[in-house]
Amino acid sequence: MKSVALDNVSKSYGGVEAVKSISFQVAKGEFMGILGPSGCGKSSTLRMIAGLEDITSGELRFDGVVVNDLSPKDRGIGMGFENYALYQPLSVRQNISFPLEARGVPRAEIGPRVAKIAKLMEVEDVLDRRPYELSGGQQQRVSLARALVRDPSVLLLDEPLSHMDRHARVRLRARIRHIHDAIGATSIYVTHDQEEAVALCDRVAVMNFGDLQQIGTVEELWLKPRNRFVAGFLGQPAMNFLPAVVHDGHRLRFDIEGQPMMTVRQALPGRGKQVTFGIRPEHIRIGGNDATMPGRVVLVEMEGDVDVITIDVGGVELKTRSGTHRSMAPGDAVMLAFPEVSQHVFDGEDDAAPALN
Ligand code: ADP
Ligand code: MG
């Protein structure tokens, strides 16, 4: 088990600045997620930690020791990547046992360890096949088995479940977490899927355009997003945003014709300033005494045990999400309430707009 620290780490590919001076630390035994949209620099970050990609500038440390120039095989890491990179001429069994043989683990120990991990990763039936005889999902499971079998001190996984169906993903992610806990590894897990990050990780680093946006527990990211991007990236459906203008200290006006003024708990910037009001779908209440925002139902979608209702409010569509099935239909007039405790206000209108707390 080792700690991992990135200190102003950057990556450029020619003119493309893929990772822009990011810093964070992963404690021994921690399960850290790197979450963000496609192209935001997640894989580049992980590949630098793995040693598969040069670090353009900055410092990478394992247990306080700079490892920028250490080759991947000397870093004590287990890696499972989206593009599996299995050895095609070798059988699945040989692919999984390879890291153990390379480290001189006694023969008698290798068989049982391979069998155990193959069972957990659901590839015990294909151990004698070659990688090209497997589906994408099976290849990923073999790649994962190979990463996990060696009890790595640092486990680096890059979207390792992306080619599997939903049920397999949910099953296997629980096993990955279980193995992490059992071997006491320090894990870094890259994903664009917030559900995976929420289910697996102790803390999550959210990235966008090569920048680290925020790092924290899921609860911290959820309750206190640092900016509009983080607020909008976590949550399904995403947080609703309404453009607004500051009226005075704690009151704002919506940029929508005929809408009432709203009092918020946050101290607002100067009068006339553009802000963004945010509220999550599950926090919007439909009806009730304090519902003052008129809207019209556009769409009702059933999602298992909840309804997602899209409501037009003066030309802006908001989504609500609630467990109580209401008999509502497109065209219905409704009144909405935005409870004060669940309000968010951002100082500006773009992704970088900081949250006012
Ligand atoms: P993610 O994993 O979050 O999807 P990547 O780290 O793969 O993001 O990519 C970040 C940015 O760097 C993207 O703009 C991508 O096109 C670019 N990039 C990644 N790898 C290379 C490379 N080998 N050469 C040039 N550009 C690259
Ligand atoms: Mg990637």
Side-chain angles (χ1 to χ4, degrees):
M1 195 191 304
K2 285 180 183 164
S3 65
V4 177
L6 281 77
D7 202 346
N8 291 308
V9 167
S10 298
K11 177 71 195 178
S12 299
Y13 302 100
V16 181
E17 227 189 329
V19 178
K20 300 171 187 165
S21 189
I22 67 172
S23 302
F24 63 85
Q25 294 177 10
V26 189
K28 283 181 204 290
E30 192 174 22
F31 202 118
M32 173 71 83
I34 301 180
L35 175 70
S38 177
C40 74
K42 304 182 297 295
S43 295
S44 299
T45 302
L46 202 71
R47 292 173 62 82
M48 287 191 283
I49 299 170
L52 299 175
E53 206 65 77
D54 286 339
I55 294 171
T56 306
S57 65
E59 226 170 63
L60 172 68
R61 294 188 293 270
F62 284 4
D63 270 353
V65 177
V66 177
V67 294
N68 285 44
D69 299 321
L70 210 59
S71 79
K73 68 173 169 41
D74 296 326
R75 294 189 187 194
I77 48 182
M79 291 183 269
F81 283 77
E82 191 181 7
N83 41 351
Y84 1 93
L86 299 172
Y87 305 110
Q88 295 297 332
L90 301 185
S91 68
V92 166
R93 188 189 310 279
Q94 290 166 322
N95 264 281
I96 300 174
S97 57
F98 185 81
L100 298 179
E101 282 162 17
R103 282 161 74 227
V105 174
R107 283 232 152 254
E109 215 182 285
I110 292 178
R113 277 174 74 170
V114 170
K116 186 173 166 215
I117 201 75
K119 185 159 193 295
L120 281 171
M121 292 298 119
E122 302 179 4
V123 290
E124 72 268 42
D125 296 342
V126 296
L127 281 170
D128 295 315
R129 289 202 206 157
R130 308 275 154 185
Y132 58 82
E133 296 173 295
L134 305 179
S135 71
Q138 287 172 321
Q139 292 189 40
Q140 272 194 324
R141 291 205 276 271
V142 175
S143 173
L144 262 173
R146 193 178 58 182
L148 296 167
V149 76
R150 51 172 299 185
D151 293 358
S153 53
V154 178
L155 181 61
L156 304 175
L157 300 174
D158 190 348
E159 316 238 12
L161 309 176
S162 57
H163 297 282
M164 299 176 204
D165 64 62
R166 195 186 141 71
H167 288 291
R169 287 207 308 271
V170 170
R171 261 195 330 271
L172 289 180
R173 78 182 183 213
R175 286 182 202 161
I176 291 173
R177 178 69 215 216
H178 184 79
I179 293 168
H180 160 95
D181 292 340
I183 65 183
T186 301
S187 298
I188 306 179
Y189 189 102
V190 160
T191 180
H192 68 277
D193 178 352
Q194 52 165 313
E195 189 191 313
E196 243 172 44
V198 167
L200 274 172
C201 301
D202 297 322
R203 285 192 303 153
V204 178
V206 181
M207 290 184 72
N208 193 27
F209 293 127
D211 277 325
L212 187 60
Q213 303 290 312
Q214 188 171 357
I215 187 162
T217 63
V218 169
E219 193 183 5
E220 285 164 354
L221 299 174
W222 182 262
L223 295 176
K224 285 200 178 296
R226 236 189 69 201
N227 59 31
R228 200 182 129 156
F229 175 80
V230 175
F233 197 77
L234 277 137
Q236 186 56 41
M239 185 183 285
N240 296 291
F241 295 120
L242 280 168
V245 178
V246 177
H247 181 75
D248 57 24
H250 285 269
R251 285 190 298 173
L252 47 81
R253 274 183 291 112
F254 289 107
D255 242 3
I256 303 167
E257 216 179 308
Q259 297 302 325
M261 191 104 73
M262 174 157 296
T263 303
V264 295
R265 131 187 84 76
Q266 291 86 347
L268 298 169
R271 188 184 175 88
K273 205 159 180 290
Q274 287 286 341
V275 294
T276 303
F277 177 83
I279 185 135
R280 296 195 187 278
E282 49 274 49
H283 293 149
I284 296 181
R285 272 211 324 276
I286 303 178
N289 286 343
D290 54 348
T292 53
M293 177 73 82
R296 199 163 286 281
V297 174
V298 176
L299 182 68
V300 179
E301 295 165 279
M302 283 245 295
E303 261 185 22
D305 55 356
V306 298
D307 283 344
V308 175
I309 303 173
T310 306
I311 295 169
D312 180 288
V313 174
V316 177
E317 287 193 349
L318 305 184
K319 288 200 185 285
T320 71
R321 187 174 191 273
S322 79
T324 52
H325 293 287
R326 298 155 185 274
S327 45
M328 233 173 262
D332 286 357
V334 289
M335 293 297 267
L336 306 178
F338 302 149
E340 202 168 288
V341 287
S342 32
Q343 296 171 350
H344 297 261
V345 183
F346 304 91
D347 188 0
E349 296 169 285
D350 57 11
D351 275 349
L356 302 169
N357 285 308

